Structure formats: C-alpha cells, structure tokens
Amino acid sequence: MAISGAREKPRMRNVLVPAGIACLFVAVAAAIGPGVVWGDTVQYLRIAYMLQGVSENKAWLDAYTLWCKHPSFDYKGTLENCISTTMAGHGPFIGYIDRNVPYQEIFTPRIGYPMLSIPLMHAFGDRIGLWIVAVAATTIGGLVLVRILRIAGLGVVSSTVAQFSFYALPVSLPHGVAMLAEATTLTSALVMALGLAYVIRGSNKRGLTWVTLGLGLVFFFKYSSTLLLCLSFLVVCLGLLLLRQYRRNRQIRFAAFLSGVALILSSTVNSLLGFPGLSHSLQDTFTDHFRLPPVDDPVVRLLQLEWHFLGRFVAGLPANATYLAVFLAGVAGFVLALRSRRFRPEIVVTVALSLYGVLSVVGHPVHSQAPRLGSSLWVGIAVGLGLLLFELWQRRRPSPFALSESTDNSVPPSKDG
C-alpha cells in the first residue's frame, strides 16, 4: 500500500500542477476582461450572424455596432455617427474595406471560431461569447503543451515553468485572449504537434489520430494556416535528420513523411475547395485590402517589403529589450539541452510552432501586424525557458530534487504503434 501511495503522489502532482496553472491563467484573463473588438473580429461577427440566418446587411450593421461600442482605437465621435459612417463605407477606422468581396473571401471559409462562439454569444452576449472561446482555447493549448513536454521527458518543474511562460508571454496575453481566431488555431496546431510528438516517441497509431484531428481543426478554424504549419513541421523534422544522432531514426523519418503528406493534402484541399491562396494574400497586402487595382509584381514587392520590415524590426529592438532577453534565454535553454545530451527529439515539435510564427510574418511582413501574426514564436521560447531552468539547476547543485527531475525525463516509449 505504501508503494502504491508513493506512486499516486507523482501522478496527482502531474495533474494538479498544470490544472492549477491553467486556473490561474483563467483568473488573470477574467480580471483583465474582454478587450476591444478588432477589425477582423467584425468579419467573424458577420459570419456568426449570417450562420444564424441574419440578412447580410443586418449582419454588417450588428457587427459594426459592436465595434463602435468597443473600438480598437480611441474614437471621439458619437456611437450613432460611428455606426452610420462605417455602414456607409467611410470609416472611421473600419468600414472602408470590410465589404470588398475579395477581402471577405479570405474570412468566409473560417467558420470554426464564429460557429463555436454562437451558443456562448446567446448565453453571455456577443462580445463575451467570442472572448470565452478564445480564453478557453488558450487554456487548453497550455495543457496540451504540458502533455507534449511530458512525452518529451520534461519533469514537473520544467513543464510548469514552460506552461506558466506560455500563459504569460504574448502568445497568450494579449493575443490568445483577443476576439480572433488565433487562439483556436494555435490550440489546433498544438494538437497536431502532440500527434507528431507521439509519432517520434514511437506511438504511431495514437500519433496519427492526433495529427489528423489537429490538421482537421486547423482547417476548421483557419484554413490559411495549414500550409505554413505543415511546412514548419516538415522543416524541423528534416532538420533533426541532419544531426548524426537522429539520422537513422525511423520515427523521425515517419514524422517527416506525415508532415509532407499533410502539406500536400492541405494544398490539394485548399485548391479543390477554391480557398484563397498565396497570390490572393499578396494582392490583399499590396492593394490595401483590394481597394486599389491588382499589382503585376506582388513577389517583387514582397521582397522589397521584407527589407523594409527588417529595417524597422532591427530599429525597434532596443525598445523591446525585455522581449529580446526572454527570446535569447529561451534559445539558450535549447542550446544547453542539446549540449548536455538531455535533449529529446519529441520536443522539436514546439520549435515548429515558433517557426510557423516566423513564416507567418515573412509571408505578411506588415510591421503593425507582426506581433499578432508571429505570436506563436513564443511557444518554443516558453519551452526553452523550462529547459533553461532545468539545465541551470542541474549544473548548480545536483540535489535529490534535480535527480527527481532527471528521473522524470526517462519516459519509456509507448508500444501502441
């Protein structure tokens, strides 16, 4: 009985600690409350209303009204003036481009977030309903991240630091609680990452199930993320295979194969369903959301914009010294883990989510949108902070506590695959 009780304590700790951190995040999010209604939120509101049978004109009116009540910038005019001017297509900030048909086409297939929000919108009001879905998705995302880290062999303390960092960094606050599809999309991506972690560990059947579910959810919430996400997973898996110790690892090869298949499948499905692709996105970027005529050289202009963005990004680094320090600390955690040979290949799936954030900004290098589009960069950094703490602890004083962490790192491979 004593042995059984001793085994139960770590199991309870593995459940209660992540749950407690998740509850703390929910409490903080609730204290902050729902934020502003963003321009893209208007599109999701329009979709939610039309899914309920509301006419298109009424859907726009209700969506604009909610934005005018909680605008995303400091608006000094009256509510009535805001509603009338936006409905007339004259601003004050939105209203100019929202009803351009090519621009609407980018959002219309993203039915997941508004559809999931509808019951909560009925129960708590439109704004609160959208916000609850975002907070719930981010909370679940943090718990999925913990599961990935446990599969990768991280102990309770390291996983807790990573989970806490995930909730505290911009991936969750503020972007994960905004009334946008970012939270649901990222959590879906984490589900896919969980599946690939299982595959790398050796649990092929379970991994394939989670990969399929995650990819389907990403399509449901934000189809435009599938290509870059699958490409990110493929790149990091191939990168692992370049390292001598993993070159002949069959499971990593299988994970790379699955990522490649998912990439091809995503491209095929997007094409068959007629979803807007890269060309449409580039035209959106360079025609002010289709207010201007199409450009003949979007790729050339994208390269020019990349250079301009890089200059502004570098110039802004001193003002973001804290975030830069956190980023470097996260990278240092991965470097130290690799050097100490305590790095487990399953953890590379979290790096893929950071790469996805980088590629998202590269594909749309608009400086004002970069923090939101690149917010998943902080997933890998949160994990790196957990690794850094563990590595520093191991180097300072190998105590029984550290030995317990090390023991937790030896997770036996599953036999279900």
mmCIF file of all heavy atoms in Angstrom, residues 221-240:
data_model
loop_
_atom_site.group_PDB
_atom_site.id
_atom_site.type_symbol
_atom_site.label_atom_id
_atom_site.label_comp_id
_atom_site.label_asym_id
_atom_site.label_seq_id
_atom_site.Cartn_x
_atom_site.Cartn_y
_atom_site.Cartn_z
ATOM 1 N N PHE A 221 -10.785 26.097 -38.296
ATOM 2 C CA PHE A 221 -10.662 27.418 -37.692
ATOM 3 C C PHE A 221 -9.958 28.434 -38.592
ATOM 4 O O PHE A 221 -10.352 29.593 -38.621
ATOM 5 C CB PHE A 221 -9.920 27.311 -36.358
ATOM 6 C CG PHE A 221 -10.716 26.626 -35.285
ATOM 7 C CD1 PHE A 221 -10.306 25.418 -34.757
ATOM 8 C CD2 PHE A 221 -11.885 27.193 -34.808
ATOM 9 C CE1 PHE A 221 -11.036 24.780 -33.768
ATOM 10 C CE2 PHE A 221 -12.632 26.567 -33.816
ATOM 11 C CZ PHE A 221 -12.214 25.354 -33.294
ATOM 12 N N LYS A 222 -8.912 28.005 -39.305
ATOM 13 C CA LYS A 222 -8.176 28.970 -40.130
ATOM 14 C C LYS A 222 -7.402 28.209 -41.207
ATOM 15 O O LYS A 222 -6.212 27.923 -41.063
ATOM 16 C CB LYS A 222 -7.225 29.802 -39.256
ATOM 17 C CG LYS A 222 -6.684 31.055 -39.930
ATOM 18 C CD LYS A 222 -5.855 31.863 -38.934
ATOM 19 C CE LYS A 222 -5.321 33.138 -39.559
ATOM 20 N NZ LYS A 222 -4.468 33.898 -38.619
ATOM 21 N N TYR A 223 -8.095 27.926 -42.301
ATOM 22 C CA TYR A 223 -7.536 27.121 -43.382
ATOM 23 C C TYR A 223 -6.207 27.675 -43.894
ATOM 24 O O TYR A 223 -5.321 26.925 -44.315
ATOM 25 C CB TYR A 223 -8.529 27.073 -44.550
ATOM 26 C CG TYR A 223 -8.664 28.411 -45.249
ATOM 27 C CD1 TYR A 223 -7.877 28.724 -46.353
ATOM 28 C CD2 TYR A 223 -9.525 29.392 -44.770
ATOM 29 C CE1 TYR A 223 -7.962 29.969 -46.961
ATOM 30 C CE2 TYR A 223 -9.613 30.624 -45.360
ATOM 31 C CZ TYR A 223 -8.839 30.913 -46.464
ATOM 32 O OH TYR A 223 -8.902 32.141 -47.054
ATOM 33 N N SER A 224 -6.058 29.003 -43.853
ATOM 34 C CA SER A 224 -4.863 29.634 -44.420
ATOM 35 C C SER A 224 -3.595 29.297 -43.649
ATOM 36 O O SER A 224 -2.486 29.558 -44.132
ATOM 37 C CB SER A 224 -5.039 31.161 -44.461
ATOM 38 O OG SER A 224 -5.331 31.672 -43.169
ATOM 39 N N SER A 225 -3.729 28.724 -42.449
ATOM 40 C CA SER A 225 -2.555 28.383 -41.647
ATOM 41 C C SER A 225 -2.011 26.994 -41.955
ATOM 42 O O SER A 225 -0.902 26.660 -41.529
ATOM 43 C CB SER A 225 -2.903 28.457 -40.147
ATOM 44 O OG SER A 225 -3.201 29.772 -39.759
ATOM 45 N N THR A 226 -2.769 26.184 -42.663
ATOM 46 C CA THR A 226 -2.373 24.778 -42.825
ATOM 47 C C THR A 226 -1.056 24.615 -43.567
ATOM 48 O O THR A 226 -0.206 23.815 -43.151
ATOM 49 C CB THR A 226 -3.472 23.993 -43.562
ATOM 50 O OG1 THR A 226 -3.778 24.657 -44.804
ATOM 51 C CG2 THR A 226 -4.738 23.905 -42.727
ATOM 52 N N LEU A 227 -0.866 25.356 -44.648
ATOM 53 C CA LEU A 227 0.338 25.168 -45.464
ATOM 54 C C LEU A 227 1.603 25.533 -44.692
ATOM 55 O O LEU A 227 2.565 24.744 -44.644
ATOM 56 C CB LEU A 227 0.243 25.995 -46.742
ATOM 57 C CG LEU A 227 -0.790 25.525 -47.771
ATOM 58 C CD1 LEU A 227 -0.870 26.506 -48.938
ATOM 59 C CD2 LEU A 227 -0.440 24.138 -48.287
ATOM 60 N N LEU A 228 1.617 26.711 -44.086
ATOM 61 C CA LEU A 228 2.813 27.138 -43.351
ATOM 62 C C LEU A 228 3.054 26.254 -42.133
ATOM 63 O O LEU A 228 4.204 25.963 -41.782
ATOM 64 C CB LEU A 228 2.675 28.598 -42.920
ATOM 65 C CG LEU A 228 2.754 29.651 -44.029
ATOM 66 C CD1 LEU A 228 2.644 31.045 -43.440
ATOM 67 C CD2 LEU A 228 4.054 29.507 -44.815
ATOM 68 N N LEU A 229 1.981 25.818 -41.496
ATOM 69 C CA LEU A 229 2.126 24.961 -40.316
ATOM 70 C C LEU A 229 2.740 23.617 -40.698
ATOM 71 O O LEU A 229 3.704 23.155 -40.062
ATOM 72 C CB LEU A 229 0.764 24.756 -39.656
ATOM 73 C CG LEU A 229 0.745 23.921 -38.383
ATOM 74 C CD1 LEU A 229 1.579 24.588 -37.291
ATOM 75 C CD2 LEU A 229 -0.694 23.727 -37.899
ATOM 76 N N CYS A 230 2.198 22.984 -41.733
ATOM 77 C CA CYS A 230 2.745 21.693 -42.175
ATOM 78 C C CYS A 230 4.175 21.836 -42.670
ATOM 79 O O CYS A 230 5.019 20.960 -42.426
ATOM 80 C CB CYS A 230 1.855 21.100 -43.269
ATOM 81 S SG CYS A 230 0.201 20.648 -42.705
ATOM 82 N N LEU A 231 4.446 22.932 -43.364
ATOM 83 C CA LEU A 231 5.814 23.185 -43.823
ATOM 84 C C LEU A 231 6.761 23.324 -42.639
ATOM 85 O O LEU A 231 7.891 22.815 -42.672
ATOM 86 C CB LEU A 231 5.840 24.455 -44.676
ATOM 87 C CG LEU A 231 7.214 24.896 -45.189
ATOM 88 C CD1 LEU A 231 7.816 23.832 -46.097
ATOM 89 C CD2 LEU A 231 7.114 26.243 -45.919
ATOM 90 N N SER A 232 6.318 23.981 -41.579
ATOM 91 C CA SER A 232 7.159 24.157 -40.387
ATOM 92 C C SER A 232 7.483 22.818 -39.743
ATOM 93 O O SER A 232 8.632 22.552 -39.372
ATOM 94 C CB SER A 232 6.447 25.069 -39.379
ATOM 95 O OG SER A 232 6.207 26.340 -39.929
ATOM 96 N N PHE A 233 6.488 21.947 -39.615
ATOM 97 C CA PHE A 233 6.729 20.619 -39.045
ATOM 98 C C PHE A 233 7.691 19.826 -39.923
ATOM 99 O O PHE A 233 8.585 19.137 -39.420
ATOM 100 C CB PHE A 233 5.409 19.857 -38.900
ATOM 101 C CG PHE A 233 4.561 20.312 -37.750
ATOM 102 C CD1 PHE A 233 3.238 20.676 -37.932
ATOM 103 C CD2 PHE A 233 5.089 20.378 -36.469
ATOM 104 C CE1 PHE A 233 2.457 21.084 -36.864
ATOM 105 C CE2 PHE A 233 4.314 20.796 -35.391
ATOM 106 C CZ PHE A 233 2.997 21.157 -35.598
ATOM 107 N N LEU A 234 7.522 19.932 -41.234
ATOM 108 C CA LEU A 234 8.408 19.206 -42.150
ATOM 109 C C LEU A 234 9.844 19.697 -42.026
ATOM 110 O O LEU A 234 10.782 18.883 -41.966
ATOM 111 C CB LEU A 234 7.911 19.386 -43.583
ATOM 112 C CG LEU A 234 8.756 18.739 -44.690
ATOM 113 C CD1 LEU A 234 8.844 17.233 -44.492
ATOM 114 C CD2 LEU A 234 8.180 19.078 -46.067
ATOM 115 N N VAL A 235 10.028 21.000 -41.951
ATOM 116 C CA VAL A 235 11.378 21.571 -41.880
ATOM 117 C C VAL A 235 12.104 21.133 -40.607
ATOM 118 O O VAL A 235 13.277 20.734 -40.649
ATOM 119 C CB VAL A 235 11.313 23.112 -41.963
ATOM 120 C CG1 VAL A 235 12.657 23.733 -41.596
ATOM 121 C CG2 VAL A 235 10.904 23.545 -43.366
ATOM 122 N N VAL A 236 11.424 21.170 -39.461
ATOM 123 C CA VAL A 236 12.117 20.819 -38.218
ATOM 124 C C VAL A 236 12.406 19.318 -38.160
ATOM 125 O O VAL A 236 13.445 18.908 -37.615
ATOM 126 C CB VAL A 236 11.317 21.262 -36.975
ATOM 127 C CG1 VAL A 236 11.208 22.770 -36.908
ATOM 128 C CG2 VAL A 236 9.955 20.610 -36.914
ATOM 129 N N CYS A 237 11.529 18.500 -38.726
ATOM 130 C CA CYS A 237 11.802 17.053 -38.755
ATOM 131 C C CYS A 237 12.999 16.756 -39.656
ATOM 132 O O CYS A 237 13.873 15.959 -39.301
ATOM 133 C CB CYS A 237 10.570 16.287 -39.236
ATOM 134 S SG CYS A 237 9.216 16.221 -38.039
ATOM 135 N N LEU A 238 13.053 17.394 -40.816
ATOM 136 C CA LEU A 238 14.197 17.208 -41.706
ATOM 137 C C LEU A 238 15.470 17.755 -41.060
ATOM 138 O O LEU A 238 16.559 17.197 -41.242
ATOM 139 C CB LEU A 238 13.935 17.913 -43.042
ATOM 140 C CG LEU A 238 12.817 17.313 -43.914
ATOM 141 C CD1 LEU A 238 12.614 18.154 -45.169
ATOM 142 C CD2 LEU A 238 13.155 15.873 -44.293
ATOM 143 N N GLY A 239 15.316 18.854 -40.312
ATOM 144 C CA GLY A 239 16.471 19.402 -39.612
ATOM 145 C C GLY A 239 17.031 18.429 -38.589
ATOM 146 O O GLY A 239 18.253 18.302 -38.433
ATOM 147 N N LEU A 240 16.152 17.716 -37.881
ATOM 148 C CA LEU A 240 16.611 16.693 -36.929
ATOM 149 C C LEU A 240 17.394 15.598 -37.631
ATOM 150 O O LEU A 240 18.390 15.091 -37.117
ATOM 151 C CB LEU A 240 15.415 16.078 -36.199
ATOM 152 C CG LEU A 240 14.997 16.661 -34.860
ATOM 153 C CD1 LEU A 240 13.855 15.844 -34.276
ATOM 154 C CD2 LEU A 240 16.168 16.710 -33.886
#
